[in-house]
Amino acid sequence: MGNTFGTLFRLTSFGESHGEAIGGVVDGMPAGVEIDMDFIQGELNRRRPGQSHITTDRKEGDRVELLSGVFEGKSTGTPIGFIVRNTNQHSQDYENMRCLFRPSHADYTYQQKYGIRDHRGGGRSSARITISRVVAGALAKLVLRQKGITIQAYTSQVGDIALDKDYRKYDLTKTETNAVRSPDAQKAQEMEALITEVKAVGDTIGGCIMCVIKGCPAGLGEPEFGKLHAQLGAAMLSINAAKGFEYGMGFDAVTQRGSEQNDLFNPAHKSSKPLATNQTDTASEPLLLSNNSGGIQGGISNGEDIYFRVAFKPVATILQEQPTIDLEGNPTTLKARGRHDPCVLPRAVPIVEAMAAITILDALKQAESSMI
């Protein structure tokens, strides 16, 4: 239960941080798609640890092995099974946590739910489990790029250092040019310095990731409980350390009036086909004069850019002494050891993109199945 995401394009993941491997099964992959292994591995490389001095020191190759569903370089339409073997566990670093609960971590809740937990790296609650999401997301991206749909996320805030929320002011191709994964070079330097400062004292810090989806056709999403923004919200909030989700103007919209917030139709927009065809609109002029709605209205995509932000809390495991309790509820202290990220944002960028890709492809397949 709870290990499968998606309806028609689905990922079921398995594995633990210090187990033999992380893996998954992707069902619903269309047949005949060229499987670009270099691209899939490249997505994993963006997520893997040890990329820079502001990430965990853990070194993992994270080489993906596809076990099924691919023949002569193309998807067969059958389930794609895959694994990524764990190769650099330091389980002894967690021995002092065997009988203790880390504050604000999943240790206590897993113990209460299952009556047993894997204390090594958090077991199933570890962010290492997101490997499966990135592989599935890479497969989804291979399909989406054939349909002209692109997904780009970037770090928009670390601590109190933030970019302007309007993504159109930035060249998003610059995102991968720095360790923080931010398209603003100056802000990226400030963010990196802050993360370095926090890491030096054994602490952690949070921030926000912005994600932009371009080329998405109108008509995706359901009118009631399957609203597209609700599907995206569920996807993002399932990511480790995610604490908030907003799309379009989000919470900033509450200070405006309807006359300011409404997205008016563009009189210059010309389209000869109905939006219900679920095809990307190729008209040169945008449908709307503004996009405060974030590309979704009434829970259904309108063909404009979809954009949203995800807030991530500081990593719960800090390298400072903290008061806590043991398995019997007795007060004690804990100073964590091991290799931990001082900030999840740089490595979470490809995870946000992956979950967005899975969600959009799933919505596309649902829309296609509902067409007569």
Side-chain angles (χ1 to χ4, degrees):
M1 295 293 293
N3 296 299
T4 299
F5 182 83
T7 302
L8 298 182
F9 182 84
R10 292 181 297 182
L11 164 67
T12 299
S13 72
F14 64 84
E16 294 83 31
S17 175
H18 286 235
E20 290 297 320
I22 307 297
V25 176
V26 171
D27 207 355
M29 183 73 177
V33 177
E34 294 220 9
I35 303 302
D36 185 341
M37 290 301 298
D38 289 338
F39 173 75
I40 296 172
Q41 187 60 54
E43 293 294 276
L44 275 176
N45 291 346
R46 296 171 66 208
R47 193 224 68 95
R48 73 181 175 191
Q51 297 179 46
S52 72
H53 71 282
I54 59 172
T55 64
T56 173
D57 297 330
R58 180 170 178 162
K59 300 294 184 182
E60 293 273 4
D62 288 353
R63 307 301 300 182
V64 62
E65 304 172 40
L66 299 189
L67 306 177
S68 63
V70 178
F71 179 67
E72 295 183 341
K74 293 185 178 181
S75 59
T76 62
T78 58
I80 297 179
F82 63 88
I83 60 170
V84 173
R85 299 183 187 278
N86 295 325
T87 60
N88 191 235
Q89 306 100 313
H90 287 183
S91 298
Q92 66 276 8
D93 289 344
Y94 298 89
E95 192 58 33
N96 67 328
M97 303 179 194
R98 179 185 289 274
C99 298
L100 303 179
F101 297 124
R102 285 173 289 179
S104 286
H105 209 283
D107 296 346
Y108 177 79
T109 51
Y110 268 56
Q111 186 74 35
Q112 293 302 305
K113 182 175 178 64
Y114 299 107
I116 186 174
R117 68 183 174 92
D118 184 347
H119 67 282
R120 305 166 304 166
R124 184 76 173 151
S125 69
S126 170
R128 185 157 176 75
I129 309 306
T130 58
I131 283 175
S132 297
R133 300 167 184 243
V134 174
V135 174
L139 290 168
K141 282 184 176 182
L142 291 176
V143 180
L144 294 179
R145 72 184 183 185
Q146 293 182 347
K147 300 177 181 294
I149 300 173
T150 62
I151 299 173
Q152 175 71 67
Y154 62 90
T155 299
S156 61
Q157 183 171 349
V158 173
D160 59 359
I161 302 171
L163 278 64
D164 188 294
K165 288 181 64 175
D166 189 346
Y167 64 90
R168 293 168 297 182
K169 293 183 179 180
Y170 301 100
D171 179 358
L172 300 189
T173 64
K174 304 291 187 182
T175 298
E176 296 291 323
T177 61
N178 54 74
V180 182
R181 291 201 165 95
S182 178
D184 185 313
Q186 179 58 43
K187 291 289 186 180
Q189 288 184 4
E190 296 175 21
M191 293 174 182
E192 185 172 340
L194 177 57
I195 296 171
T196 301
E197 175 187 329
V198 166
K199 181 181 180 180
V201 296
D203 214 338
T204 60
I205 196 163
C208 293
I209 288 176
M210 176 74 83
C211 186
V212 183
I213 305 172
K214 292 180 173 288
C216 187
L220 303 188
E222 302 300 323
E224 188 59 17
F225 299 113
K227 290 179 169 64
L228 185 58
H229 59 265
Q231 294 181 48
L232 285 168
M236 298 306 139
L237 293 173
S238 73
I239 301 172
N240 306 58
K243 300 296 284 186
F245 171 83
E246 65 174 0
Y247 73 102
M249 289 297 291
F251 287 102
D252 287 346
V254 303
T255 62
Q256 295 184 332
R257 300 187 179 188
S259 55
E260 301 172 290
Q261 180 68 199
N262 287 349
D263 294 319
L264 302 182
F265 289 100
N266 183 3
H269 176 83
K270 302 295 181 183
S271 178
S272 60
K273 55 181 173 42
L275 295 178
T277 56
N278 289 322
Q279 295 177 358
T280 302
D281 201 311
T282 57
S284 58
E285 294 293 333
L287 172 68
L288 305 173
L289 295 176
S290 60
N291 189 18
N292 296 321
S293 302
I296 303 172
Q297 294 170 326
I300 300 172
S301 62
N302 61 16
E304 302 294 290
D305 290 352
I306 296 172
Y307 64 95
F308 59 84
R309 286 202 311 164
V310 188
F312 289 86
K313 71 171 185 175
V315 176
T317 303
I318 65 175
L319 302 182
Q320 296 180 3
E321 188 169 279
Q322 296 183 93
T324 187
I325 60 173
D326 61 20
L327 294 177
E328 285 72 45
N330 300 311
T332 184
T333 59
L334 166 68
K335 184 172 183 179
R337 301 192 296 265
R339 301 159 296 174
H340 307 281
D341 283 294
C343 178
V344 300
L345 277 298
R347 295 176 60 209
V349 166
I351 302 168
V352 167
E353 291 180 4
M355 292 307 294
I358 294 169
T359 302
I360 294 300
L361 180 54
D362 191 31
L364 274 168
K365 290 178 69 71
Q366 290 180 61
E368 291 168 357
S369 70
S370 67
M371 298 295 287
I372 298 177

